[in-house]
Amino acid sequence: MLARRRRVYFAMMGTCIGLFVLAWGVVRLWSIPVAVGMCVVAMVIPPLAAMVANRRGPDDRWWDDPSGDPKSDEWWDELDGKRRRQ
């Protein structure tokens, strides 16, 4: 899962950089409003890429890992309706 998220993140960021380069290197010669529009689209990509890269998948187990405090873990397991293995 991590490798897939990393590939998607770098693809999105590569697209962002490509849009900027194409907008001001090529497209601006024909149409400045289109180049500005491409930059606006490129501006939206980095926050979305960060959300994709930091998203947790169903296989990523982080919410139910033991904290190290037995009393706290027992309390949370009781709330979740789990039985702890002894």
Side-chain angles (χ1 to χ4, degrees), residues 3-52:
R4 192 186 105 233
R5 285 195 311 255
R6 187 177 295 149
R7 278 193 307 269
V8 171
Y9 173 79
F10 284 118
M12 290 176 78
M13 293 306 290
T15 302
C16 176
I17 291 171
L19 281 172
F20 273 119
V21 170
L22 282 175
W24 296 114
V26 178
V27 176
R28 74 172 170 88
L29 300 173
W30 287 279
S31 174
I32 291 180
V34 172
V36 170
M38 288 173 69
C39 285
V40 169
V41 170
M43 179 181 68
V44 174
I45 293 174
L48 295 175
M51 285 187 254
V52 166

